[in-house]
Amino acid sequence: MASLQDIKRRISSTKNTRQITSAMQLVSTAKLSKIQNSSNGYHEYANRLKAVVGHLIEAHVLDNVDSAHLPMVAKRPIKKTGILIVTSDRGLVGSYNANIIKETNALMEKHNLNKDNTVILAIGGNGADFYKQRGFSIALEHRGISDVPTFNEIRQLLKTVISLYEAEAFDSLHLVYNHFVNRLESDQRNTQLLPLTKEALADSDDSHEEVASDFQIQAAYDSEPDSTAVLNVVLPQYIQSLVFEAVLDAKTAEHAASSTAMSSATDSADDLIATLDLQYNRARQAQITTEITEITGGLVALE
């Protein structure tokens, strides 16, 4: 049995750990509230942009565009597939990163992808490190996303993603990230970003018709100077909005996962402290009993 001094050290150490995890839980909860308040406005903008793109589909604007002048909609043989994954830079977020890697691996298995025909674009250090260690080509690695990301912060990153596609570094692009459901739950989503086909646009997470009807946008367009010029402006903004919205969503899920993980760690520390307290009291009681027995035995010997 451990000595009383050892048990006291463990109790003290566990209490210190509990203070840290409790503080981290409070910090993560505050960050979660902050990003939720901050991202509401952007979601409004993203929904309006989705409505516009949805009605471009309804108006058959994409049917007759010149793909030679619009690389984002051009279909070409898929020699390499790009996967843009959003993970965290650090740990202490429960299964947040493991779930993304599991979803990404499932996507690769479904499409028969491997390190020879796959290019990884990583937002967050965990995903970059995982696939780098397994020999995958990392076309883009971005670390240090702030707790409440701004569009300006990752504007160049989004331009780089589109430039890599236009330079044929990969021929299709999938986005994998954690979607925030509530403080205790998130789910994993993967979306085909490029090329922008009519089918891919129609099958996006939010129904374009539903979003468009919310804003009562009419599906009729007169284009100046022509449809290709309009789409050359709208579609890059659309891709950028999808990626940035996913980063916001993933960061929200990350703060929620961190808060939940730290809450669970704090509860575990409380349970361990209670167990150690009981163990200490029993050991102390046994020590006192032994001392009384020894004193009594000494008195009997003196009689």
Side-chain angles (χ1 to χ4, degrees):
M1 181 180 290
S3 68
L4 288 175
Q5 194 63 32
D6 289 338
I7 297 174
K8 286 181 71 175
R9 286 197 196 99
R10 288 191 64 192
I11 291 174
S12 178
S13 175
T14 305
K15 285 182 177 179
N16 290 337
T17 301
R18 186 198 177 284
Q19 287 181 328
I20 294 171
T21 57
S22 180
M24 292 177 70
Q25 178 192 351
L26 293 174
V27 170
S28 294
T29 301
K31 289 178 180 178
L32 175 60
S33 298
K34 187 175 181 180
I35 195 171
Q36 285 180 303
N37 293 333
S38 176
S39 60
N40 287 337
Y42 187 81
H43 290 316
E44 181 81 5
Y45 162 78
N47 284 337
R48 290 182 180 273
L49 187 55
K50 290 174 187 176
V52 171
V53 173
H55 275 282
L56 287 173
I57 296 172
E58 288 184 12
H60 304 287
V61 174
L62 289 176
D63 293 350
N64 301 310
V65 297
D66 183 2
S67 60
H69 295 90
L70 198 62
M72 297 177 71
V73 302
K75 293 183 180 179
R76 58 191 188 224
I78 299 178
K79 299 175 184 177
K80 285 209 170 185
T81 299
I83 304 179
L84 175 58
I85 59 174
V86 185
T87 60
S88 70
D89 287 325
R90 58 185 180 83
L92 302 178
V93 288
S95 60
Y96 175 88
N97 294 309
N99 288 338
I100 287 298
I101 290 170
K102 181 180 178 181
E103 182 73 18
T104 303
N105 290 341
L107 176 65
M108 291 184 188
E109 183 177 350
K110 179 180 178 182
H111 295 281
N112 297 316
L113 301 177
N114 53 53
K115 63 182 180 180
D116 297 322
N117 59 10
T118 305
V119 174
I120 299 295
L121 299 89
I123 299 177
N126 268 274
D129 293 340
F130 180 87
Y131 286 105
K132 194 183 296 181
Q133 291 167 5
R134 283 154 182 79
F136 282 81
S137 174
I138 310 296
L140 182 148
E141 181 179 341
H142 188 87
R143 300 174 186 252
I145 293 289
S146 64
D147 294 324
V148 183
T150 63
F151 185 80
N152 285 335
E153 182 183 349
I154 61 172
R155 183 193 300 271
Q156 189 57 48
L157 178 150
L158 301 176
K159 290 181 179 179
T160 301
V161 170
I162 295 174
S163 296
L164 286 170
Y165 177 76
E166 293 177 346
E168 300 188 12
F170 43 85
D171 304 297
S172 68
L173 179 64
H174 294 263
L175 170 65
V176 183
Y177 66 99
N178 272 308
H179 166 64
F180 173 77
V181 177
N182 55 51
R183 291 181 179 234
L184 298 177
E185 182 183 0
S186 64
D187 58 42
Q188 294 68 54
R189 291 187 174 178
N190 74 76
T191 306
Q192 181 180 325
L193 289 179
L194 296 168
L196 279 170
T197 63
K198 182 177 179 180
E199 294 76 17
L201 288 168
D203 291 339
S204 65
D205 290 337
D206 295 311
S207 168
H208 290 111
E209 290 86 354
E210 181 181 343
V211 174
S213 64
D214 290 342
F215 298 113
Q216 299 179 348
I217 298 175
Q218 299 301 315
Y221 293 88
D222 293 322
S223 301
E224 273 298 329
D226 56 44
S227 298
T228 301
V230 171
L231 291 173
N232 265 319
V233 174
V234 173
L235 294 185
Q237 290 185 16
Y238 174 73
I239 289 295
Q240 290 175 359
S241 75
L242 286 182
V243 175
F244 182 59
E245 190 174 33
V247 170
L248 285 174
D249 202 359
K251 265 295 180 183
T252 305
E254 179 187 337
H255 294 322
S258 177
S259 177
T260 301
M262 292 303 99
S263 174
S264 197
T266 301
D267 291 342
S268 295
D270 285 334
D271 292 341
L272 180 56
I273 290 169
T275 300
L276 289 172
D277 280 338
L278 181 60
Q279 186 178 345
Y280 177 83
N281 290 334
R282 285 177 175 173
R284 179 62 180 148
Q285 184 178 23
Q287 184 184 56
I288 292 172
T289 301
T290 300
E291 291 173 354
I292 292 174
T293 302
E294 290 175 350
I295 293 171
T296 305
L299 290 174
V300 171
L302 291 174
E303 291 178 355

